[in-house]
């Protein structure tokens, strides 16, 4: 129900003074009412006198209005409206003219005032929706209802539904008054107070309607402004219609408001109205939980619903989206400005985004201020809610109201306390710093908030400053004040400011690194920033502390100075900080003391930046200098500080630089040219220069070349041969200097002089300061001219003076060069000498080592010396030429080849690289050793690519090799790929390239990996083939390796697809290689394979060959000539390529006897031990191969004359005691027309074939009934028969159908179906005939039967031209046994009892006799029997059902190999005996009669009816049972309790087997109605389903199973198990796969018929299982 509120206006006081009194009375009553608590915001609480707030009224719970029925309500409602119109508005026809005129003026005045109020109440039309929401929240709702408000937007207007309690007469009267609201104060849980909200609806409508509790009124202002309060009765609206638009349930909407639009409104305008319905609208409402918006314009439905999650989290869902807020609230004692109000509540809500797993991130969009409903935005990033006093527009907080100012002052403390709510969220508990970051994002800054709340940011910041609200790094246990934390720190800061000292000296700690604050936020909170001022404060404290600086160390000093240099700005503020630093004594000196620049000049040896301990290495040089401790600079490099920054900072502080450059230039270089100096001084001089050259001396950087030139020309260096000048003698590095060259190999072999630098330079003490002294010494000495290998120097000479070899190697026109031009050339006298000595005196190893040395050093030492330059004529650019140095290498024979031990020119040798080796392999002239430098390869001239001529020459060389050629398959594959590409480019073909020579490399065996070398031979294309899909050749190769027998053919791997899988196009398309072996090729492979391996090892490969031949036969690839050749070969004795069992190779030569393929395993057992009966053996074939053999390869066998075993085996009937055949013949004769209809409809092709043969098989059909029947299997062509006899109930032999008198009709029809399906039984035909017979037996009329056949089975009648089938002659009767016996031949069963083999009996015709003829001969006199249903002793309850196989053969006992079910009692019988299922005599092999494998199919179980007698049940092997008692309306409660107990026992039992975690009881908490009760989960045991059947009885051995459970058991198979539980003994029995158990006769499926009316066809039967 809605709350409609009015309040009087000042203008109303003049017009209607009596209303002023009433309004004042109500206002006083409101002020006296205290604020109700949030727990009282339920239906009816907070309202006095048992009344409920409704609209502008209060619905009394004692009026009895809701107890009235609808008719009474409407009558009373109408009378109330009439009373209001008459008593309140004076609308009485008895008034005089003067009174009416006066009343009309008063109405007009009141209407104008109300119109002004409704128009000025809000600035926007859409805000009336907020008023309706507010009214709905003030309504009262039933306890079992979710308070819901519905808006339905239509083109014509808006419909509002509310499931509140409804209007009363008092409410209606209040609506028709002004300021006479029935609401109490807001402390009672109401949002509205002024009573003017409902008037806002008149901004969009002229005639709002209200339908509630029988009231159906409207307030229409179209006829006058008095319509604002004047009610008019209207017809009821169809609320149910609108209810269905919202939901399909039967929710009761007690109040409906209809707001027809004043004029036609566009869809865009109407949609803008509802933008105010934001999800946050529900946050602070007291009662309303759900708002629904149904838009009929676009057929959409949006539902907003509030959900309180916990931890202050509130979710509001709308549609498929969700918004989340963290809400913090606080109850306050009311301010004195409202003395009648005792308490109020304020709240703040922070908008969050939930990203999954309840992880929240802040949403910092601007949010409105709420006075229970949203007002407008003030720049806050969070929602602020309070019971604010609003202006008359209801869109603004009254900023001059003391109540509002008091509320505003209470919010900073609430906001600060909300931080703990953030930290308590689960996603922030491990990292509370992130919670603080999220919280601080909502803190408003000064200038962001405006209006009444502009002072809030400053108040919040002040509150945060005096509240511990921040975490320190590494300490989550407590918070500290913002002024006690250090922000903006880094890891460097933690080194410079140790945490203990920082706390000790400055009282600060490091801010948690997860807390991220903006600069303005940090400034407003008074957080200390990390910077130079803080460092100077800390440094000052250390200087004033004894031993404070010494304890920090020189590395710390370097980091501090580096950090200060980077932080200090180049400004006036920076200058002030520098002045402060100059007064602090913190600069370390070389004597171990600390000083400041103000006390005297401090010197810095800037050139020894990286030397570090130069003072210790050269004490005399620095003895008189007061310098900064040189360790400072080395410590800066070690600790990661910038040495340059340290120096620059020290210079800013007044430290003066001291350069060592003059020491080097003036003293050391001159001293090193004097050999009179002592050895140690000479070494010190060079070490000092080297260390100085490592510095960043800018002077030395410009004069470096000059200094190095002076050292080369003047300075003496200590070598192994004394002091030598680098400019006079080539000097080399020794091995101690990292020289990789072993010079002794040239000295000892060639006798060369070799100077090496002394190692004393490396052992000098100054080297200790270098991080990598060896590398730095090498670099320094290389600049001086020291080399690892031969020295190559640059020369300048006239062009005319160049050598002839160099002139020939010029790369440009000789005419462009003047003889006087200057050429800059590279030459090496050492190399010339070395090559000369190597070629004359040296051996091959010396040449190999020379190439190895060049390979190591080329890139770094010689690659830039292969080109010389010569200036051309004036105005031309310089010209390049091949230097003398590289020409020396090109023009000498010094390279050793891998193919011989001779010396070669570099241009004639291949580089041993992947590009060459991948194509040519190891058999190519490669340079020794292998060159790794790519630059050397490019400069020296080795062949790095293979040309086509090189490849063709390589093949010729490979064929001429004396040793067997070996190559990897990968290399030869790339070789042929290369040939393929190059031949296309050169436009040559294979014949042109190779002629008739063999060129295809075929390995003798397959390498384990493609990269392995394998021997082989080169063959011609006609000697190989691409692929052997059968794998027979692979088998031959495999067994050839195991056998010592020699093959007649070369055992090479000729299947190229296995060798070169990616070169099909090259070999097949271009080289004319065949795709696969030919038929004759396969015959040769099989012949050789038959000599190497027994059939058991290669049978599968032979099968694949025959399968391939079959495919080629079908596709036409195998010609008739090939097929004839194959037949001829198989007929020969020497082509014994057929694998047979047991493990023999045979052909179709007559000497081997009968060869056939086995399509029936059971039949093969009868003949497998007989002579001259051989079965093809193809190993254990997979299912798909079995199908291929049966459906495809069998056709090839048929063409070759190899027949299937089932085609050569026939059944020969053996019977005793001929009996009367009339009944069975009549049954078959009666069923034949239906069989004809079935064949004609469902198997038209077979029917046409039968008809084409004149129905000969049907015409010859005869029925013979005997007392006992069995059969044996016979191969007539070989005169062989099986020794085993198989008992059966019926048997079709040729056109004679043998049967016993007890044969079930279904079995008879199943055997009869063989007549039409080439000896194969058809279950569908048997089922159809059995159903028709069953209907006839049950008394169905002909019309009912026809209806069933045509409508249910969809089998139409025969066409008129088709003559119905029937038997043509009478069967033998009991009295004609003698005549029948005369046609029976007596035979002996292995010397035992005589049995009878049938001769011929009477012939049968089809369609040759009329129905009259048949009736005269008695064919249909015995069936169907008359009075079947009324026969004595026939009652449905006297029959039970037992299972029997329906395969038409003997019924065998259970397989003795069947595993006993778990949980079965030992007292239960191990085997079951069935009626009519016993062996014929002791000589019959029962073990072979178990599955009737002659037919290869196991058929489903059929059902036979047996009398319900104990002795009959006992004959089945089951103990006497309790009588079935399946009746409706039993003790359901007891059965449910028994079932649940059984499930619990089974559940505990299965947990013990599979483990507790793997078993789930689906009905543990409630019944799920699933077709199983327990299941297993997990990878190991998952996917098993268990249905529990429980009983309290000790003898009951049957249970009920539903059709749903049985269908589920059929689908799941072995995964479905029935658990039978006897509750009283806790005995558990498991029946896995009950469907299979029924088929195997371990269980029986019963159909129990009701005792009353027979169930019509198509009805359902309750099914049961019996164990």
């Amino acid at each position: 129900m809605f709350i409609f509120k009015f309040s009087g206006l000042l203008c109303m006081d003049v017009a209607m003074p009596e209303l002023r009194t009433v309004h004042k009375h109500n206002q006083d009553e409101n002020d006296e009412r205290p604020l109700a608590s949030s727990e009282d915001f339920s239906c009816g609480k907070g309202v006095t006198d048992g009344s409920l707030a409704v609209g502008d009224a209060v619905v009394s719970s004692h009026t009895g209005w809701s107890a009235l029925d609808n008719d009474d309500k409407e009558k009373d409602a109408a009378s109330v409206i009439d009373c209001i119109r008459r008593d309140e508005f004076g609308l009485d026809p008895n008034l005089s003219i003067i009174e009416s005129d006066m009343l009309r003026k008063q109405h007009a005045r009141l209407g104008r005032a109300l119109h002004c109020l409704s128009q000025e109440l809000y600035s926007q039309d859409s805000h009336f929706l907020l008023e309706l929401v507010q009214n709905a929240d003030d309504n009262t709702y039933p306890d079992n209802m979710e308070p819901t408000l519905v808006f339905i937007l239509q083109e014509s207007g808006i419909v509002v539904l509310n499931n509140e309690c409804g209007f009363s007469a008092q409410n209606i009267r209040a609506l028709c008054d002004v300021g006479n609201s029935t609401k109490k104060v807001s402390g009672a849980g109401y949002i509205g107070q002024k009573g003017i909200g409902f008037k806002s609806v008149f901004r969009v409508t002229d005639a709002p309607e209200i339908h509630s509790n029988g009231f159906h009124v409207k307030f229409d202002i179209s006829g006058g402004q008095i319509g604002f309060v004047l009610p008019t009765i209207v017809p009821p609206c169809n609320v149910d219609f609108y209810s269905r638009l919202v939901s399909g349930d039967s929710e009761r909407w007690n109040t409906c408001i209809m707001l027809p639009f004043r004029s036609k409104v566009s869809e865009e305008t109407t949609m803008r109205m509802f933008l105010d319905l934001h999800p946050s609208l529900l946050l602070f409402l007291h009662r309303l939980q759900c708002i629904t918006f149904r838009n009929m314009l676009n057929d959409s439905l949006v539902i907003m619903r509030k959900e309180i999650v916990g931890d202050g989290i509130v979710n509001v869902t709308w549609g498929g989206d969700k918004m989340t807020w963290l809400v913090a609230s606080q109850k306050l004692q009311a301010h004195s400005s409202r003395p009648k109000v005792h308490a109020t509540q304020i709240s703040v809500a922070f908008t969050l985004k939930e990203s999954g797993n309840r992880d929240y991130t802040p949403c910092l969009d601007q949010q409105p201020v709420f006075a229970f409903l949203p007002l407008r935005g003030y720049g806050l990033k969070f929602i602020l809610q309070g019971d604010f006093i609003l202006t008359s527009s209801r869109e603004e907080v009254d900023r001059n109201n003391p109540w509002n100012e008091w509320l505003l002052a209470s919010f900073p403390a609430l906001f600060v306390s909300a931080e703990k709510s953030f930290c308590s969220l689960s996603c922030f508990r491990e990292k509370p710093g992130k919670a603080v970051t999220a919280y601080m994002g909502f803190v408003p800054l000064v200038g962001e908030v405006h209006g009444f709340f502009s002072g809030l940011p400053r108040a919040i910041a002040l509150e945060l400053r005096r509240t511990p609200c921040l975490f320190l790094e590494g300490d989550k246990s407590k918070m500290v004040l913002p002024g006690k934390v250090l922000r903006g720190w880094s890891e460097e800061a933690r080194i410079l400011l140790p945490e203990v000292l920082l706390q000790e000296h400055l009282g600060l700690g490091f801010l948690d690194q997860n807390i991220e604050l903006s600069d303005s936020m940090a400034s407003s909170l008074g957080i200390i920033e990390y910077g130079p001022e803080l460092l100077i404060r800390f440094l000052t404290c250390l200087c004033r502390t004894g031993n404070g600086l010494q304890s920090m160390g020189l590395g710390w000093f370097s980091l501090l100075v580096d950090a200060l240099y980077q932080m200090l700005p180049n400004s006036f503020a920076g200058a002030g900080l520098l002045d402060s630093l100059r007064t602090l004594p913190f600069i370390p000196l070389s004597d171990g003391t600390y000083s400041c620049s103000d006390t005297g000049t401090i010197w810095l040896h800037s050139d020894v930046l990286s030397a570090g301990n130069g003072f210790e290495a050269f004490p005399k040089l620095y003895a008189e200098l007061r310098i900064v401790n040189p360790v400072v600079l080395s410590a800066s490099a070690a600790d990661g500080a910038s040495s340059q920054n340290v120096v620059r900072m020290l210079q800013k502080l007044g430290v003066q630089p001291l350069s060592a450059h003059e020491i080097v230039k003036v003293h050391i270089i001159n001293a090193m040219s004097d050999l009179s100096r002592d050895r140690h001084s000479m070494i010190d001089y060079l070490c000092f220069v080297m260390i100085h050259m490592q510095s960043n001396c800018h002077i030395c950087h410009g004069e470096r070349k000059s200094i190095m030139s002076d050292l080369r020309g003047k300075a003496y260096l200590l070598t192994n041969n004394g002091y030598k000048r680098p400019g006079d003698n080539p000097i080399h590095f020794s091995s101690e200097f990292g020289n990789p060259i072993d010079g002794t190999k040239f000295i000892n072999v060639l006798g060369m002089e070799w100077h090496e630098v002394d190692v004393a330079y490396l052992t000098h003490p100054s080297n200790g300061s270098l991080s990598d002294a060896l590398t730095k010494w090498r670099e320094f000495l290389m600049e001086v001219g020291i080399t690892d290998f031969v020295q190559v120097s640059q020369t300048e000479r006239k062009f005319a003076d160049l050598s002839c070899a160099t002139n020939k190697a010029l790369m440009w026109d000789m005419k462009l060069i003047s003889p006087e031009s200057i050429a800059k050339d590279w030459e090496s006298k050492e190399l010339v000498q070395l090559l000369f000595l190597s070629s004359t005196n040296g051996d091959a190893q010396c040449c190999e080592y020379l190439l190895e040395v060049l390979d190591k050093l080329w890139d770094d030492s010689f690659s830039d010396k292969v080109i010389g330059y010569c200036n051309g004529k004036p105005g031309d650019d310089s010209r390049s030429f091949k230097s003398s140095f590289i020409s020396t290498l090109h023009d000498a024979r010094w390279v050793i080849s891998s193919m011989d031990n001779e010396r070669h020119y570099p241009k004639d040798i291949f580089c041993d690289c992947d590009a060459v080796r991948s194509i040519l392999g190891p058999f190519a002239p490669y340079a020794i050793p292998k060159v790794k430098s790519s630059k050397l390869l490019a400069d020296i001239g080795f062949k790095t690519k293979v040309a086509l001529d090189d490849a063709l020459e390589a093949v010729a060389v490979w064929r001429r090799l004396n040793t067997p050629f070996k190559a990897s398959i990968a290399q030869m594959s790339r070789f042929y790929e290369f040939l393929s590409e190059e031949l296309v480019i050169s436009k040559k073909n294979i014949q042109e390239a190779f002629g008739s020579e063999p060129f295809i490399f075929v390995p003798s065996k397959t390498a384990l990996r493609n990269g392995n070398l394998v021997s082989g031979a080169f063959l011609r294309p006609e000697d190989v083939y691409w692929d052997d899909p059968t794998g027979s050749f692979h088998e031959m190769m495999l067994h050839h390796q195991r056998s010592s027998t020699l093959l007649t053919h070369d055992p090479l791997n000729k299947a190229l697809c296995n060798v070169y899988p990616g070169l099909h196009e090259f070999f097949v398309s271009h080289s004319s290689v065949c795709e696969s072996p030919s038929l004759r090729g396969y015959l040769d492979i099989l012949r050789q394979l038959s000599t190497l391996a027994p059939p058991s090892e290669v049978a599968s490969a032979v099968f694949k060959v025959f399968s391939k031949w079959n495919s080629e036969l079908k596709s036409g690839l195998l010609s008739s000539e090939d097929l004839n050749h194959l037949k001829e070969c198989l007929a020969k004795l020497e082509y014994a390529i057929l694998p047979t069992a047991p493990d023999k190779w045979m052909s179709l030569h007559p000497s081997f006897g009968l060869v056939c393929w086995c399509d029936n395993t059971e039949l093969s057992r009868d003949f497998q031990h007989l002579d001259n009966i051989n079965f093809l053996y193809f190993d254990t074939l997979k299912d798909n191969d079995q199908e291929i053999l049966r459906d495809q390869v069998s056709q090839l066998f048929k063409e070759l004359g190899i027949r299937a075993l089932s085609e050569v085996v026939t059944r020969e009937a053996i019977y005793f005691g001929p009996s009367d055949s009339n009944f069975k013949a009549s049954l078959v004769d009666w069923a034949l027309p239906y069989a004809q209809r079935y064949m004609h409809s469902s198997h038209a092709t077979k029917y046409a074939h039968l008809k084409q043969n004149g129905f000969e098989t049907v015409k010859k059909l005869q029925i013979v009934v005997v007392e006992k029947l069995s059969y044996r299997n016979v191969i007539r062509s070989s005169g062989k028969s099986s020794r085993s006899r198989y008992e059966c109930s019926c048997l079709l032999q040729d056109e004679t159908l043998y049967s016993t008198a007890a044969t079930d009709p279904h079995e008879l029809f199943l055997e009869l179906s063989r007549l039409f399906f080439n000896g194969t039984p058809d279950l569908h035909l048997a089922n159809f005939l059995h159903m028709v017979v069953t209907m006839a037996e049950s008394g169905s009329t002909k019309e009912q039967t026809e209806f069933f056949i045509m409508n249910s089975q969809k089998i139409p009648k025969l066409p008129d031209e088709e003559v119905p089938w029937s038997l043509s002659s009478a069967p033998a009767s009991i009295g004609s046994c003698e005549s029948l016996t005369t046609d029976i031949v007596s035979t002996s069963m292995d010397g035992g009892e005589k049995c009878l083999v049938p001769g011929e009996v009477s012939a049968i015709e089809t369609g040759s006799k009329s129905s009259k003829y048949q009736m005269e001969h008695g064919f249909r006199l015995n069936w169907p029997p008359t009075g079947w249903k009324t026969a004595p002793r026939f009652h449905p309850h006297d029959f039970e059902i037992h299972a029997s196989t329906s395969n038409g053969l003997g019924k065998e006992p259970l397989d003795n190999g069947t595993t006993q079910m778990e949980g079965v009692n030992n007292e239960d019988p191990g085997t079951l005996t069935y009626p009519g299922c016993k062996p014929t005599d002791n000589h019959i092999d029962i073990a072979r009669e178990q599955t009737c494998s002659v037919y290869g199919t196991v058929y489903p179980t059929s059902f036979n009816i047996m009398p319900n007698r104990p002795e009959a049940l006992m004959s089945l092997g089951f103990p006497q049972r309790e009588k079935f008692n399946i009746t409706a309306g039993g003790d359901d409660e007891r059965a449910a309790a028994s079932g649940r107990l059984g499930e619990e026992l089974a559940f505990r039992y299965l947990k013990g087997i599979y483990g507790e975690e793997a078993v789930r009881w689906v009905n543990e908490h409630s019944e799920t109605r699933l077709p199983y009760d327990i299941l297993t989960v997990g990878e190991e045991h998952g996917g098993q389903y268990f249905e529990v059947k429980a009983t309290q009885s000790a003898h009951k051995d049957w249970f009920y199973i539903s059709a749903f459970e049985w269908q589920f058991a059929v689908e799941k198979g072995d995964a479905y198990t029935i658990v039978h539980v006897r509750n009283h003994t806790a005995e558990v029995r498991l029946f896995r796969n009950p469907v299979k158990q029924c088929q195997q006769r371990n269980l029986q499926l019963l159909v129990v018929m009701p005792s009353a009316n027979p169930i019509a066809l198509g009805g359902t039967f309750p099914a049961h299982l019996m164990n």
Side-chain angles (χ1 to χ4, degrees), residues 749-750 832-843 846-847 893-894 903:
V749 176
L750 305 178
V832 173
Q833 181 186 12
L834 184 60
L835 289 176
F836 173 77
L837 294 175
S838 298
S839 60
T840 56
N841 302 332
D843 55 7
C846 185
C847 294
R893 291 176 178 264
W894 62 278
R903 295 167 178 80

Side-chain angles (χ1 to χ4, degrees), residues 1330-1517:
H1330 188 256
M1331 285 188 292
V1332 175
V1333 169
T1334 302
M1335 291 183 65
E1337 292 174 344
S1338 64
S1340 299
T1341 63
K1342 181 178 180 181
E1343 291 75 11
Q1344 292 174 332
T1345 304
E1346 281 298 324
F1347 181 83
F1348 169 75
I1349 294 173
M1350 297 182 67
N1351 292 278
S1352 178
Q1353 300 299 312
K1354 307 299 182 183
I1355 297 178
K1357 292 183 179 181
L1358 280 174
D1360 294 338
E1361 64 271 14
E1362 296 293 334
V1363 180
W1365 292 346
S1366 64
L1367 296 178
S1368 59
S1369 60
S1373 63
I1374 298 176
S1376 59
C1377 288
E1378 295 181 359
S1379 61
L1380 181 63
T1381 306
T1382 59
D1383 295 328
I1384 295 176
V1385 180
S1386 176
T1387 61
S1388 174
M1389 294 174 56
D1390 302 324
E1393 181 183 352
K1394 297 288 185 177
C1395 62
L1396 302 177
V1397 181
E1400 292 194 5
V1401 294
S1402 57
I1404 301 174
E1405 296 181 357
T1406 300
S1408 61
K1409 304 293 182 180
S1410 64
S1411 299
K1412 180 178 179 181
Y1413 176 86
Q1414 296 170 2
M1415 293 298 293
E1416 289 175 354
H1417 287 77
F1419 274 70
R1420 304 196 180 188
L1421 295 180
N1422 296 326
W1423 206 94
T1426 59
W1428 177 269
K1429 294 184 63 178
T1430 58
R1433 293 169 143 188
F1434 179 80
H1435 299 286
H1437 286 291
D1438 293 338
F1439 284 79
E1440 285 192 352
I1441 303 167
H1442 70 88
S1444 63
T1445 58
S1446 57
N1447 53 20
L1449 302 177
K1451 307 175 183 65
E1452 298 78 32
L1454 289 172
D1455 188 352
N1456 292 333
T1458 302
T1459 303
Q1460 187 70 17
M1461 304 297 289
E1462 182 180 357
V1464 176
N1465 292 338
N1466 295 329
E1467 298 176 359
D1468 292 347
T1471 58
L1472 305 177
T1473 306
Y1474 296 84
C1477 303
K1478 54 188 179 181
T1480 56
D1481 59 6
N1482 296 331
H1483 299 281
I1484 296 179
D1485 188 357
I1486 299 299
R1488 299 186 183 180
E1489 301 184 54
Q1490 292 175 358
T1491 58
C1492 305
S1493 59
V1494 174
Y1495 308 98
T1497 306
V1498 178
Y1499 297 98
T1501 304
S1502 64
F1503 302 101
N1504 298 328
I1505 299 177
M1506 288 189 62
N1508 186 12
R1509 302 189 309 276
E1511 58 271 23
L1513 290 173
M1514 292 302 293
S1515 67
L1516 292 173

